[in-house]
mmCIF file of all heavy atoms in Angstrom:
data_model
loop_
_atom_site.group_PDB
_atom_site.id
_atom_site.type_symbol
_atom_site.label_atom_id
_atom_site.label_comp_id
_atom_site.label_asym_id
_atom_site.label_seq_id
_atom_site.Cartn_x
_atom_site.Cartn_y
_atom_site.Cartn_z
ATOM 1 N N MET A 1 -125.524 35.172 -19.755
ATOM 2 C CA MET A 1 -125.429 35.893 -18.468
ATOM 3 C C MET A 1 -126.821 36.000 -17.861
ATOM 4 O O MET A 1 -127.789 36.154 -18.581
ATOM 5 C CB MET A 1 -124.855 37.314 -18.727
ATOM 6 C CG MET A 1 -123.528 37.261 -19.398
ATOM 7 S SD MET A 1 -122.234 37.386 -18.183
ATOM 8 C CE MET A 1 -120.837 37.346 -19.214
ATOM 9 N N ASN A 192 -137.545 18.189 -2.065
ATOM 10 C CA ASN A 192 -137.151 19.560 -2.349
ATOM 11 C C ASN A 192 -135.909 20.061 -1.650
ATOM 12 O O ASN A 192 -135.312 21.055 -2.052
ATOM 13 C CB ASN A 192 -138.329 20.517 -2.090
ATOM 14 C CG ASN A 192 -139.477 20.286 -3.013
ATOM 15 O OD1 ASN A 192 -139.393 20.554 -4.207
ATOM 16 N ND2 ASN A 192 -140.519 19.666 -2.493
ATOM 17 N N GLN A 193 -135.548 19.416 -0.586
ATOM 18 C CA GLN A 193 -134.414 19.932 0.205
ATOM 19 C C GLN A 193 -133.219 18.971 0.237
ATOM 20 O O GLN A 193 -132.226 19.325 0.840
ATOM 21 C CB GLN A 193 -134.858 20.264 1.642
ATOM 22 C CG GLN A 193 -136.011 21.219 1.730
ATOM 23 C CD GLN A 193 -135.675 22.614 1.186
ATOM 24 O OE1 GLN A 193 -134.529 23.020 1.173
ATOM 25 N NE2 GLN A 193 -136.694 23.296 0.669
ATOM 26 N N LEU A 194 -133.340 17.806 -0.336
ATOM 27 C CA LEU A 194 -132.218 16.883 -0.347
ATOM 28 C C LEU A 194 -131.772 16.566 -1.776
ATOM 29 O O LEU A 194 -132.599 16.621 -2.674
ATOM 30 C CB LEU A 194 -132.630 15.554 0.351
ATOM 31 C CG LEU A 194 -133.044 15.582 1.800
ATOM 32 C CD1 LEU A 194 -133.154 14.173 2.316
ATOM 33 C CD2 LEU A 194 -132.043 16.362 2.659
ATOM 34 N N ARG A 198 -133.680 15.786 -6.144
ATOM 35 C CA ARG A 198 -133.127 16.159 -7.462
ATOM 36 C C ARG A 198 -132.922 14.951 -8.332
ATOM 37 O O ARG A 198 -133.261 14.909 -9.495
ATOM 38 C CB ARG A 198 -131.837 16.886 -7.311
ATOM 39 C CG ARG A 198 -131.945 18.311 -6.786
ATOM 40 C CD ARG A 198 -132.459 19.223 -7.885
ATOM 41 N NE ARG A 198 -132.608 20.545 -7.308
ATOM 42 C CZ ARG A 198 -131.618 21.387 -7.160
ATOM 43 N NH1 ARG A 198 -130.413 21.066 -7.607
ATOM 44 N NH2 ARG A 198 -131.787 22.533 -6.551
ATOM 45 N N ASN A 206 -134.013 11.988 -17.672
ATOM 46 C CA ASN A 206 -133.086 11.326 -18.531
ATOM 47 C C ASN A 206 -132.133 10.452 -17.736
ATOM 48 O O ASN A 206 -131.096 10.894 -17.233
ATOM 49 C CB ASN A 206 -132.312 12.368 -19.347
ATOM 50 C CG ASN A 206 -131.366 11.758 -20.383
ATOM 51 O OD1 ASN A 206 -131.180 10.543 -20.385
ATOM 52 N ND2 ASN A 206 -130.864 12.568 -21.294
ATOM 53 N N GLU A 208 -130.101 8.016 -18.451
ATOM 54 C CA GLU A 208 -128.732 7.784 -18.922
ATOM 55 C C GLU A 208 -127.828 8.973 -18.611
ATOM 56 O O GLU A 208 -126.661 8.811 -18.193
ATOM 57 C CB GLU A 208 -128.740 7.479 -20.424
ATOM 58 C CG GLU A 208 -127.404 7.303 -21.088
ATOM 59 C CD GLU A 208 -126.663 6.003 -20.634
ATOM 60 O OE1 GLU A 208 -127.258 5.255 -19.823
ATOM 61 O OE2 GLU A 208 -125.556 5.769 -21.083
ATOM 62 N N ALA A 209 -128.350 10.190 -18.798
ATOM 63 C CA ALA A 209 -127.573 11.380 -18.505
ATOM 64 C C ALA A 209 -127.170 11.437 -17.003
ATOM 65 O O ALA A 209 -126.115 11.813 -16.603
ATOM 66 C CB ALA A 209 -128.326 12.621 -18.882
ATOM 67 N N ARG A 211 -126.940 8.825 -14.988
ATOM 68 C CA ARG A 211 -125.933 7.766 -14.743
ATOM 69 C C ARG A 211 -124.550 8.216 -15.154
ATOM 70 O O ARG A 211 -123.553 8.040 -14.409
ATOM 71 C CB ARG A 211 -126.316 6.513 -15.535
ATOM 72 C CG ARG A 211 -125.583 5.256 -15.122
ATOM 73 C CD ARG A 211 -126.189 4.027 -15.797
ATOM 74 N NE ARG A 211 -125.794 3.946 -17.188
ATOM 75 C CZ ARG A 211 -124.776 3.144 -17.596
ATOM 76 N NH1 ARG A 211 -124.146 2.375 -16.731
ATOM 77 N NH2 ARG A 211 -124.437 3.123 -18.874
ATOM 78 N N LEU A 212 -124.465 8.829 -16.316
ATOM 79 C CA LEU A 212 -123.149 9.315 -16.813
ATOM 80 C C LEU A 212 -122.625 10.465 -15.995
ATOM 81 O O LEU A 212 -121.457 10.825 -16.092
ATOM 82 C CB LEU A 212 -123.224 9.669 -18.292
ATOM 83 C CG LEU A 212 -123.421 8.484 -19.250
ATOM 84 C CD1 LEU A 212 -123.541 8.999 -20.689
ATOM 85 C CD2 LEU A 212 -122.230 7.518 -19.175
ATOM 86 N N SER A 213 -123.504 11.090 -15.222
ATOM 87 C CA SER A 213 -123.031 12.188 -14.328
ATOM 88 C C SER A 213 -122.455 11.622 -13.038
ATOM 89 O O SER A 213 -122.176 12.328 -12.100
ATOM 90 C CB SER A 213 -124.189 13.148 -14.013
ATOM 91 O OG SER A 213 -124.683 13.738 -15.135
ATOM 92 N N ALA B 303 -119.195 2.777 -17.922
ATOM 93 C CA ALA B 303 -120.564 2.869 -18.406
ATOM 94 C C ALA B 303 -120.996 1.578 -19.108
ATOM 95 O O ALA B 303 -122.135 1.236 -19.123
ATOM 96 C CB ALA B 303 -120.667 4.062 -19.370
ATOM 97 N N PRO B 323 -120.076 4.707 -13.796
ATOM 98 C CA PRO B 323 -119.742 6.127 -13.844
ATOM 99 C C PRO B 323 -119.589 6.773 -12.469
ATOM 100 O O PRO B 323 -118.829 7.716 -12.325
ATOM 101 C CB PRO B 323 -120.881 6.732 -14.655
ATOM 102 C CG PRO B 323 -121.402 5.621 -15.482
ATOM 103 C CD PRO B 323 -121.263 4.382 -14.630
ATOM 104 N N GLN B 341 -127.661 12.039 -23.752
ATOM 105 C CA GLN B 341 -126.796 11.483 -22.702
ATOM 106 C C GLN B 341 -126.209 12.544 -21.754
ATOM 107 O O GLN B 341 -125.786 12.222 -20.666
ATOM 108 C CB GLN B 341 -125.628 10.740 -23.339
ATOM 109 C CG GLN B 341 -126.081 9.585 -24.190
ATOM 110 C CD GLN B 341 -124.922 8.989 -24.996
ATOM 111 O OE1 GLN B 341 -124.009 9.658 -25.402
ATOM 112 N NE2 GLN B 341 -124.987 7.640 -25.171
ATOM 113 N N LEU B 343 -127.723 15.822 -21.001
ATOM 114 C CA LEU B 343 -128.600 16.786 -20.360
ATOM 115 C C LEU B 343 -129.938 16.197 -19.939
ATOM 116 O O LEU B 343 -130.369 15.195 -20.517
ATOM 117 C CB LEU B 343 -128.912 17.922 -21.311
ATOM 118 C CG LEU B 343 -127.722 18.806 -21.725
ATOM 119 C CD1 LEU B 343 -128.129 19.687 -22.902
ATOM 120 C CD2 LEU B 343 -127.267 19.700 -20.564
ATOM 121 N N LEU B 368 -129.777 20.161 1.193
ATOM 122 C CA LEU B 368 -129.172 20.914 0.094
ATOM 123 C C LEU B 368 -128.969 22.357 0.478
ATOM 124 O O LEU B 368 -129.848 23.021 1.024
ATOM 125 C CB LEU B 368 -130.145 20.949 -1.121
ATOM 126 C CG LEU B 368 -129.949 19.914 -2.251
ATOM 127 C CD1 LEU B 368 -130.962 20.186 -3.329
ATOM 128 C CD2 LEU B 368 -128.553 19.993 -2.771
ATOM 129 N N LYS B 370 -129.076 25.464 -0.878
ATOM 130 C CA LYS B 370 -129.510 26.079 -2.132
ATOM 131 C C LYS B 370 -128.848 27.407 -2.397
ATOM 132 O O LYS B 370 -128.693 27.795 -3.551
ATOM 133 C CB LYS B 370 -131.056 26.197 -2.143
ATOM 134 C CG LYS B 370 -131.744 24.837 -2.194
ATOM 135 C CD LYS B 370 -133.215 24.994 -2.390
ATOM 136 C CE LYS B 370 -133.848 23.609 -2.544
ATOM 137 N NZ LYS B 370 -135.292 23.666 -2.628
ATOM 138 N N GLU B 373 -125.519 26.720 -3.802
ATOM 139 C CA GLU B 373 -125.730 26.146 -5.095
ATOM 140 C C GLU B 373 -125.933 27.289 -6.132
ATOM 141 O O GLU B 373 -125.275 27.309 -7.176
ATOM 142 C CB GLU B 373 -126.944 25.217 -5.112
ATOM 143 C CG GLU B 373 -127.206 24.571 -6.474
ATOM 144 C CD GLU B 373 -128.569 23.925 -6.538
ATOM 145 O OE1 GLU B 373 -129.420 24.204 -5.666
ATOM 146 O OE2 GLU B 373 -128.792 23.140 -7.489
ATOM 147 N N ILE B 386 -122.377 31.414 -20.464
ATOM 148 C CA ILE B 386 -123.550 30.705 -20.965
ATOM 149 C C ILE B 386 -124.686 31.712 -21.154
ATOM 150 O O ILE B 386 -125.053 32.434 -20.229
ATOM 151 C CB ILE B 386 -123.992 29.614 -19.946
ATOM 152 C CG1 ILE B 386 -122.854 28.624 -19.746
ATOM 153 C CG2 ILE B 386 -125.284 28.938 -20.420
ATOM 154 C CD1 ILE B 386 -123.123 27.606 -18.669
ATOM 155 N N THR B 388 -128.222 32.532 -21.217
ATOM 156 C CA THR B 388 -129.541 32.092 -20.795
ATOM 157 C C THR B 388 -130.238 33.216 -20.053
ATOM 158 O O THR B 388 -129.608 33.986 -19.331
ATOM 159 C CB THR B 388 -129.453 30.816 -19.881
ATOM 160 O OG1 THR B 388 -130.749 30.538 -19.366
ATOM 161 C CG2 THR B 388 -128.469 31.047 -18.749
ATOM 162 N N LYS B 410 -121.278 21.407 -15.612
ATOM 163 C CA LYS B 410 -121.614 20.345 -14.697
ATOM 164 C C LYS B 410 -120.334 19.696 -14.137
ATOM 165 O O LYS B 410 -120.224 19.492 -12.941
ATOM 166 C CB LYS B 410 -122.494 19.310 -15.410
ATOM 167 C CG LYS B 410 -122.710 18.044 -14.647
ATOM 168 C CD LYS B 410 -123.801 17.206 -15.248
ATOM 169 C CE LYS B 410 -123.357 16.442 -16.502
ATOM 170 N NZ LYS B 410 -124.445 15.660 -17.088
#
Side-chain angles (χ1 to χ4, degrees):
Chain A
M1 302 264 180
N192 295 290
Q193 303 297 332
L194 298 190
R198 286 285 177 81
N206 185 347
E208 178 68 1
R211 192 171 78 99
L212 290 177
S213 298
Chain B
Q341 301 172 324
L343 295 166
L368 263 184
K370 292 188 176 175
E373 181 193 14
I386 300 173
T388 171
K410 171 167 77 181

